[in-house]
Amino acid sequence: GAEQGAHYIEPDLQVSRDGMLFCMHDSKLGATTNIATRRDFASRRRTPSSTGSFPVSTESESGSGTVENEGLGDWLVEDFDASELLDLQLRPRECMETAANTSHRNCAVGSLPGAQFDFRQRPVLFREMLQLTKQLSLKLGRQIGVAPETKRAKFYRARGVQFEKALLHELHSAGFLTLKRGVYATAANSPGRVILQSMDETSLRIMRNATDSSVRIVQGMSEGDDLSPASFSAIASYAHGVALPLDVLESHDDAGKQAVSSAR
């Protein structure tokens, strides 16, 4: 983290039913929280008969497309208000997948290898993470930036959620960005620089149109994306950089080397 020298904190973001931003990679809550133990939320579990506000299709976690029945058998973040999500307890994925409870040897409080995991921890609001970043910046005496990613942006957009507007508003409220004549820019006394990331081109274009060049835009890429020079040229029309898949960065074949070279 920042105390080990990191220059940026990079949270993935999801949106609650009432429009609050949470630092979460997964939209599905079953693997990372104690929601399966909450009888009051049992009826929110998605089933083949789910209708209305509980559709059975959602965008993939990578943001690369829509997956039928992705949420079946689980609880999804967008079906819960912020107050309900804040009332959950986080669980290491290993515990949920191996034992579905805390009986596994690595699932006792504080027993995970290399970490002291506190089962009393709850999901974190993006605004809370921004305040933590500001505190770390003051404590360490240097700038620490943030690089949030809008997860499942296409899915939220289809539901009428103004994901990008909410994200920029939070950054402005926390003092990372200033707003002049309808355009966001890095604040003069900002705790750190801002990088805005997404796998979704439209999401990035929305944020690019609302910010000046001091706010960096980065296109996330996944396995199977077009890594040709022409693709990178198109991305350059709205983004300042790309986040290449790790396997491409580690590749030593001609295709991998060409992708890295073109991205530069």
Side-chain angles (χ1 to χ4, degrees), residues 199-219:
M199 304 289 287
D200 183 78
E201 177 182 336
T202 300
S203 182
L204 293 176
R205 286 186 179 276
I206 291 171
M207 293 188 287
R208 177 64 183 269
N209 290 336
T211 58
D212 73 2
S213 60
S214 68
V215 181
R216 313 306 281 177
I217 305 293
V218 171
Q219 173 70 63

Side-chain angles (χ1 to χ4, degrees), residues 14 25-29 58 61 75-78 152 156:
Q14 302 278 355
H25 174 274
D26 291 4
S27 62
K28 292 176 284 187
L29 301 170
T58 186
E61 299 293 354
W75 298 260
L76 298 188
V77 62
E78 64 266 18
R152 303 163 66 235
Y156 286 117

Side-chain angles (χ1 to χ4, degrees), residues 34-54:
N34 69 331
I35 196 166
T37 69
R38 294 288 300 267
R39 293 184 179 180
D40 50 334
F41 293 148
S43 64
R44 308 261 194 109
R45 189 173 188 173
R46 298 208 179 193
T47 67
S49 61
S50 297
T51 59
S53 61
F54 305 105

Side-chain angles (χ1 to χ4, degrees), residues 9 124-138 146 170-176 191:
I9 296 178
V124 178
L125 287 162
F126 181 50
R127 60 180 56 177
E128 294 176 321
M129 192 229 76
L130 292 177
Q131 292 304 314
L132 172 62
T133 304
K134 292 169 68 174
Q135 293 170 14
L136 283 172
S137 179
L138 290 173
V146 291
E170 293 282 10
L171 290 166
H172 176 237
S173 297
F176 284 82

Side-chain angles (χ1 to χ4, degrees), residues 17-94:
R17 182 169 60 183
D18 53 351
M20 299 295 290
L21 304 186
F22 277 82
C23 298
M24 291 181 172
H25 174 274
D26 291 4
S27 62
K28 292 176 284 187
L29 301 170
T32 54
T33 75
N34 69 331
I35 196 166
T37 69
R38 294 288 300 267
R39 293 184 179 180
D40 50 334
F41 293 148
S43 64
R44 308 261 194 109
R45 189 173 188 173
R46 298 208 179 193
T47 67
S49 61
S50 297
T51 59
S53 61
F54 305 105
V56 293
S57 296
T58 186
E59 190 176 348
S60 66
E61 299 293 354
S62 69
S64 58
T66 299
V67 179
E68 288 296 323
N69 300 327
E70 174 75 8
L72 284 181
D74 214 314
W75 298 260
L76 298 188
V77 62
E78 64 266 18
D79 295 337
F80 296 84
D81 291 334
S83 60
E84 295 173 320
L85 293 171
L86 291 171
D87 197 40
L88 297 175
Q89 292 178 335
L90 296 177
R91 291 286 189 267
R93 185 185 301 277
E94 178 181 2

